[in-house]
Amino acid sequence: MATKINQPVVVDGRKCWIRATTYKRQLTLHLIPAFEGLAVEDITADEVQRLFNGMSGAKATKDKARMVLNQIMDAAVEDKLLASNPLKSKRVKVTGKASKATVPYSVEQMRYIVQHIEDVKNPLDRAYLALQALHPLRLEEVLGLRGEDVDAENKALHICRAVTHPTRNMPEVKDTKTDSSRRSIGLSALALPYLPEYAAGAYLFGGDKPLSYTQVRKMCERIKRDIGFSENITPIRFRTTVLTDLYDQTKDIKLAQQAAGHTTSAMTLRYYVKGRETAAEAAAAVERVYTA
């Protein structure tokens, strides 16, 4: 029987270099619909190119699908189902828009937010803002926090799991994004007054069940309204902002990398550390060295 693309058992059990959730998502959303009913050996470079031509969005999105398909095709070549991997053909071109960089909040905006946490009416919303705005956490990590993960005495947060929303409103509890993402970070003293006592085993945000995507979105809208903020409350911007200012204040990329839960410091520098210095400040720094 021919091996089908919608039965990727040929690669199960093999070493996987990308997240299992990413693997499953790309199969479900892109690969199965594009190649349904085709045997692996019937997938040509032209079929692959049609897949990428039909995908919308940023190039980074297409690259995820390419990584998963490449694993399947490499396994098929190894199992002698294919003579060569069609993804390696020079005819296959993966193009798309560049992903938009996340712009950090300004220092002034962050000061305003922190100074107005007390104005947030709902205690749960207040606790969320205090945790998200003052720590370099992914939204999925904040939603994955449970009572036992908050060590107020030692001022530490233990990141042990993540909550994602692959279908928007059905939260799924997952492992952290990478092994490096499972970490402990310092708990800000500024956040402590806004954190109530949490029961072990209960999610900080949701109790028995984590918050849904819609609940998070509505919570961010309430926070914006309560504090009179001019821009949207966007979780990823807090993570980028905190990492930017952490590095700006310490100049310690390894510290920023550990706080971010990244496998490499290159990832931290490329995507999260934006830098606050202006061109004039950079020139002044050089002048200080040369005129000392």
Side-chain angles (χ1 to χ4, degrees):
M1 180 183 295
T3 304
K4 305 292 184 181
I5 194 68
N6 60 343
Q7 296 176 332
V9 293
V10 292
V11 293
D12 286 352
R14 298 178 186 275
K15 185 177 181 180
C16 185
W17 291 275
I18 59 176
R19 291 180 71 190
T21 51
T22 299
Y23 185 86
K24 179 180 178 181
R25 184 176 177 83
Q26 298 309 311
L27 280 173
T28 304
L29 293 182
H30 303 298
L31 303 187
I32 290 176
F35 303 129
E36 184 72 56
L38 285 178
V40 169
E41 51 266 39
D42 294 333
I43 298 176
T44 65
D46 290 337
E47 297 285 349
V48 171
Q49 189 63 63
R50 270 192 286 273
L51 161 69
F52 294 125
N53 289 347
M55 290 179 66
S56 59
K59 184 175 182 296
T61 300
K62 298 182 182 183
D63 284 340
K64 290 178 183 177
R66 180 173 61 177
M67 284 191 294
V68 174
L69 183 58
N70 191 59
Q71 287 186 346
I72 295 170
M73 292 303 176
D74 277 348
V77 170
E78 186 178 333
D79 292 342
K80 298 187 172 28
L81 295 172
L82 285 174
S84 62
N85 181 344
L87 267 173
K88 306 290 173 61
S89 170
K90 294 181 179 179
R91 299 203 313 272
V92 175
K93 306 294 182 184
V94 182
T95 60
K97 299 177 293 184
S99 300
K100 288 186 178 180
T102 301
V103 179
Y105 291 117
S106 69
V107 172
E108 292 73 21
Q109 286 176 316
M110 289 300 293
R111 286 173 179 162
Y112 179 91
I113 289 170
V114 172
Q115 289 167 4
H116 288 81
I117 294 176
E118 190 66 42
D119 294 341
V120 178
K121 297 175 183 177
N122 186 301
L124 193 66
D125 295 356
R126 265 199 311 272
Y128 168 77
L129 182 60
L131 282 173
Q132 188 75 80
L134 291 164
H135 304 89
L137 297 173
R138 302 173 178 93
L139 172 61
E140 62 196 54
E141 294 171 345
V142 174
L143 298 181
L145 288 170
R146 296 199 297 221
E148 64 270 24
D149 302 326
V150 180
D151 185 350
E153 182 178 352
N154 295 302
K155 293 183 181 178
L157 286 173
H158 305 297
I159 315 305
C160 304
R161 69 196 67 78
V163 171
T164 61
H165 302 94
T167 57
R168 291 298 190 184
N169 288 321
M170 294 295 292
E172 291 188 11
V173 181
K174 306 282 188 181
D175 288 334
T176 53
K177 188 171 185 179
T178 65
D179 288 342
S180 298
S181 300
R182 180 180 289 269
R183 65 200 187 283
S184 294
I185 65 171
L187 172 59
S188 170
L190 296 175
L192 272 175
Y194 305 107
L195 303 184
E197 291 291 332
Y198 295 103
Y203 290 95
L204 271 55
F205 305 101
D208 293 336
K209 183 180 180 181
L211 294 183
S212 70
Y213 175 86
T214 297
Q215 287 173 314
V216 172
R217 180 174 55 81
K218 289 182 176 178
M219 179 169 61
C220 290
E221 290 171 355
R222 288 194 302 269
I223 291 170
K224 175 184 177 180
R225 183 177 62 249
D226 288 349
I227 68 175
F229 195 56
S230 59
E231 296 187 28
N232 289 334
I233 297 296
T234 309
I236 184 59
R237 290 188 70 184
F238 286 123
R239 175 169 162 83
T240 301
T241 302
V242 172
L243 289 172
T244 292
D245 288 325
L246 171 58
Y247 180 72
D248 192 61
Q249 293 298 309
T250 66
K251 305 303 181 187
D252 187 337
I253 189 57
K254 285 298 182 182
L255 180 63
Q257 175 193 343
Q258 190 280 329
H262 287 152
T263 304
T264 66
S265 56
M267 171 71 73
T268 313
L269 281 171
R270 182 176 180 182
Y271 294 107
Y272 292 93
V273 174
K274 305 298 182 181
R276 295 289 193 190
E277 294 93 343
T278 65
E281 288 170 332
V286 174
E287 290 168 4
R288 285 194 297 271
V289 174
Y290 294 161
T291 59

